[in-house]
Amino acid sequence: MTKKTILLSIAAMCISFAAMSQARVGIKAGWNLSNITTDNSGGTKDSRSLSGFNAGVIADLPLVPKILSFQPGVFYSTKGSKIESGDKNNSTTTPFIKYSVTPSYIEIPLNFVGKIPIGPTVKLFGGIGPYFAFGVAGKNKKEVLLAGVTTTTSTSIKWDDDTPFNSNNNSAPGKWKRFDWGGNVQVGAEISNFLVSAQYGIGFSKVYSGQSSSTDEKNKNRVFSVSVGYLFGGK
């Protein structure tokens, strides 16, 4: 069974579970601030952060009424990072170069959410759970500013299923590993049927394909998100 089939099976299971229970189903979207770790300890550089977005559907499946829920979802989410060199305000003789990579994933979060009622229609919540993602699109973009002239080149991300790299095949650094997984932590408020939340996603899988040493596996996704949503159905 392929990883793509596994992801689709998880999504179908979540949707079926929602249909058979007294669940609420809703929509949710927001802003991503993504980055990619630069060392084996999980560190990142703030200057590499990149803005993006997330959008999708969720279900709220009560496990303990009004206190604990299981919240699976299916999202389209952009991630990535950027690198800049040179001085944008002094590029007469030395070029200013900006390189960005923007992978897009179909992501399936499986969060367990605890809720604290603080009024008739208001609850604070916190959640935690794993996510599984499958790369579907993305761009590598390079912008060069020199003497007031900007040159832009763009190529599509090449996805791979982590084929070992050697000189006799087409797998190489620069290709992205298609399957990603990690964990989410989130906090927020549920106001009537509306949701407002902040979330941090921590990738556990390397992003580049065909590399196997411990030093090569330092690059992993990190995403901070702020989202709003609406749940249809009873409270």
Side-chain angles (χ1 to χ4, degrees), residues 82-204:
K82 68 182 179 183
I83 300 174
E84 296 180 353
S85 65
D87 185 353
K88 191 173 184 178
N89 298 317
N90 186 23
S91 59
T92 303
T93 57
T94 303
F96 169 76
I97 302 174
K98 177 181 176 181
Y99 176 79
S100 59
V101 58
T102 55
S104 297
Y105 295 86
I106 298 298
E107 185 168 310
I108 300 173
L110 304 172
N111 293 322
F112 291 88
V113 178
K115 304 179 181 183
I116 302 174
I118 61 172
T121 60
V122 180
K123 302 182 186 74
L124 299 180
F125 65 79
I128 189 169
Y131 76 79
F132 303 91
F134 187 80
V136 293
K139 293 287 185 180
N140 298 296
K141 186 177 180 181
K142 183 179 181 181
E143 299 177 47
V144 180
L145 174 62
L146 179 63
V149 178
T150 300
T151 303
T152 302
T153 56
S154 180
T155 59
S156 296
I157 285 178
K158 296 180 180 179
W159 297 97
D160 186 70
D161 292 324
D162 208 20
T163 305
F165 170 69
N166 60 63
S167 60
N168 298 320
N169 62 34
N170 197 36
S171 175
K175 284 192 174 185
W176 280 63
K177 187 179 177 183
R178 189 177 296 276
F179 182 72
D180 183 39
W181 71 283
N184 293 317
V185 291
Q186 64 171 318
V187 294
E190 182 179 326
I191 306 168
S192 188
N193 286 45
F194 291 93
L195 300 173
V196 180
S197 66
Q199 177 174 284
Y200 191 64
I202 304 170
F204 297 152

Side-chain angles (χ1 to χ4, degrees), residues 48-69:
R48 297 165 58 97
S49 298
L50 194 67
S51 289
F53 71 94
N54 65 84
V57 296
I58 62 170
D60 185 78
L61 314 177
L63 301 177
V64 179
K66 299 183 180 181
I67 297 177
L68 179 64
S69 290

